[in-house]
Structure formats: C-alpha cells, structure tokens
Amino acid sequence: MDQIKAKLMKPSKETKQETFGKIISYTCIVAIMLLVLLVLYFIISFGMATFTTNHVNLWSFLSGTNWSPGTVDAHGNPEVGALPMIVTSFAVTILSALVATPFAIAIALFMTIISPKRGKGFLQAIIELLVGIPSVVYGYIGLTLVVPFIRGIYGGTGFGILSGTIVLFVMVLPTITSLTVDSLKAVPHYYLEASLALGATRWQTIYKVILRAATPGILTAIIFGMARAFGEALAVQMVIGNATLLPKSLLTLAATLTSQLTTGIGNTVMGSLPNNALWSLALILLLMSLVFNIAVKFIGSKGDLNK
C-alpha cells in the first residue's frame, strides 16, 4: 500500500518537464525586466548629468537654438540648445506620417476589400520586401536619387527636411500598411453585409462603415509608423544635411535627435559636457518612445470599449 502511494505521489516525467519549462520562462522574464531597467537607469543617469553635474538649465536646453557644447555664450552658459533637433525630428516624423497614411489606407483597402486575391498576392510581397531593406540602403537611394532630384527642382544642396520626409515616407509605409490591413480584417464581416443589404454602395460602405469601425486600429498604425520615423537615424542622417539649425523651410539643412547622436557620440569623451548633452538627447528619445507607447495603449483601450 505504501509503495503504491509513493509511486502515485512521485512527480511524473511530464510534471518535471513542466516545472523545468516554468523555471526557464520565469528566468527569461526576470532577465528581460532587469535588462530594461538597466537600460532605463543607464540612459536616465547619463541624460540627467547635463542638469545635475554640468548645471545646465532645463528650459535653456529645451528652448535654446544654438548647439555647440564645447563653447559658452556671453553669460558663460554652455550652448546646448536642443530645440532645432527637436523641431526637425517632429517635422520629418509628422510630415512622413501625413504623406504615408493615405497611401497606406488605399493599399490596405485594395488588399482586403477591393481585390483581396490579387492584392494579397502582389502587394504583400512588395510590403515584405520594403520591410526587409536595411536603413543604409534607403539612405543611399535617397542620397543618389532623392537629393539630386530635389536639387534639380528647387536648387540649393538638395539636403533638408523634404528629402528626409520622402525617405521616411517609404520606410514607414510598410509599417502603417501592415497594421492597417490587420485593422480592416478585424472588422466583423457582417458590418459589410448589413451595410450592403441596406442599399449602400461599396464606397459608402468603405467610408461610412469599414473605416469608421477600424479607426482605432488605423490610428494605432499611424502612431507605430511615427515611432518608427522618430527613431530612425542612419537613413535620415544621409539626406538631411546634419546642420544644427532651426529649420525655416523644408529645404533647410537640419539635424534630428538621432542624426546628431550618431554623428557626435563617437567624437566626445565620456563624462564631459558634450557627451552628457548627447545622452540628454537620448533621454528625450526615450521619453518620446514612452509617449508613443502610452498613446497606442490609450487608443487600443478606446477601440475595445467601442466594440
């Protein structure tokens, strides 16, 4: 009797495998959480050093228009104004999203409603191809095609916000398109059937029913595309001009937060003011990523409530 009881109470092979799998899973989760916390601590600590160690005024940093961390102004304050990079980053991000969104919605509608079979077979392959192209290739194409094209039409150097917007438009188009396709597919099919049964045309159904029902998902796709554009560095760096000037037009040479980071971080000494100032730019990027994620969560929750 005792032997039977002991045999029944003994963990089986499957139970041991499950326990081992849980240990591995929890270990990986803890490791990822620690990694994220260390990255946050690293960026925040170095980014805040500009204000705590070098005693740079926060408002002066965010609103200043001169970026030359190695020099001081007439009042003896370091010239670390990040406003030109902040304005340029938002400019190329918003403009590229505005240009890409109509194309993305049109492509998604063609792939899901107008011609699902042909659209999914042909356009899906193109979108996947655009996703797989490295950023440096986009930048090189922009440098050899877009910049000379802009130069030939408007004169000047061809570098600037307009060239950066065109390159980012192509880069964020697959992201917005893919997520918009998923949003349109998530709309219940009986919405379409009910609208057509009431006498609405196909375009009336698309505009008044399908797109309205998929609006939260489409907005989420746009925000993900903006986050992609805001954090892009190499491709933008190759076509924007990398001049820390407050942009006055789309043809002005400019620099984004990411392009300034990539061009300057290797030329500074760790712990110096120029290095700390660049880490402060990285902190701004981190905060903007947090804002984008919060916006996605908020829109997603509203979409769930509407359903």
Side-chain angles (χ1 to χ4, degrees):
M1 188 69 180
D2 293 336
Q3 293 179 352
I4 297 176
K5 182 178 180 181
K7 186 176 182 180
L8 292 174
M9 295 297 294
K10 183 179 178 180
S12 63
K13 180 180 179 181
E14 289 76 11
T15 303
K16 293 180 180 180
Q17 290 178 346
E18 181 179 358
T19 303
F20 182 71
K22 287 182 178 180
I23 293 174
I24 294 177
S25 299
Y26 289 134
T27 302
C28 293
I29 293 173
V30 172
I32 292 173
M33 292 176 62
L34 288 176
L35 179 62
V36 172
L37 291 175
L38 288 174
V39 170
L40 292 175
Y41 172 77
F42 189 80
I43 296 177
I44 293 174
S45 60
F46 279 94
M48 292 301 296
T50 305
F51 315 109
T52 58
T53 304
N54 304 115
H55 306 291
V56 174
N57 182 268
L58 177 60
W59 177 248
S60 299
F61 179 80
L62 295 176
S63 62
T65 57
N66 295 322
W67 180 267
S68 182
T71 61
V72 295
D73 57 16
H75 303 285
N77 298 317
E79 295 186 341
V80 286
L83 184 62
M85 285 83 75
I86 296 174
V87 172
T88 304
S89 295
F90 277 103
V92 295
T93 298
I94 295 174
L95 288 174
S96 61
L98 287 175
V99 176
T101 298
F103 288 92
I105 294 176
I107 295 172
L109 287 173
F110 185 82
M111 292 175 60
T112 56
I113 297 177
I114 298 175
S115 182
K117 293 183 179 179
R118 289 185 299 174
K120 186 176 181 181
F122 176 68
L123 293 177
Q124 186 67 33
I126 295 178
I127 292 173
E128 292 175 355
L129 177 64
L130 291 176
V131 171
I133 297 176
S135 298
V136 65
V137 176
Y138 282 112
Y140 183 74
I141 293 175
L143 186 62
T144 56
L145 296 179
V146 177
V147 172
F149 178 75
I150 299 299
R151 185 189 303 128
I153 295 179
Y154 300 104
T157 62
F159 295 94
I161 294 177
L162 182 58
S163 298
T165 298
I166 294 174
V167 172
L168 283 179
F169 150 68
V170 180
M171 295 185 69
V172 303
L173 181 62
T175 300
I176 301 178
T177 301
S178 298
L179 295 175
T180 302
V181 168
D182 294 337
S183 301
L184 294 176
K185 288 182 177 180
V187 176
H189 190 67
Y190 59 81
Y191 281 19
L192 175 65
E193 296 175 345
S195 178
L196 295 175
L198 291 173
T201 64
R202 183 171 64 173
W203 290 108
Q204 288 175 330
T205 300
I206 291 173
Y207 174 69
K208 295 180 180 286
V209 178
I210 304 298
L211 289 180
R212 291 190 180 184
T215 295
I218 295 174
L219 292 177
T220 300
I222 295 172
I223 293 176
F224 271 116
M226 293 177 65
R228 171 80 169 88
F230 200 86
E232 179 55 43
L234 186 56
V236 176
Q237 176 188 339
M238 297 174 69
V239 299
I240 204 166
N242 301 309
T244 54
L245 304 172
L246 192 64
K248 297 180 180 179
S249 70
L250 295 180
L251 303 177
T252 302
L253 297 177
T256 62
L257 293 168
T258 51
S259 66
Q260 188 62 28
L261 270 169
T262 54
T263 55
I265 198 67
N267 301 319
T268 59
V269 179
M270 183 67 73
S272 62
L273 173 60
N275 185 266
N276 291 337
L278 291 175
W279 280 109
S280 297
L281 298 183
L283 179 59
I284 295 176
L285 287 171
L286 177 65
L287 294 176
M288 284 309 305
S289 298
L290 179 62
V291 170
F292 284 129
N293 286 325
I294 293 175
V296 168
K297 294 292 184 182
F298 177 76
I299 294 174
S301 64
K302 290 298 181 181
D304 293 337
L305 290 177
N306 290 335
K307 293 178 182 180

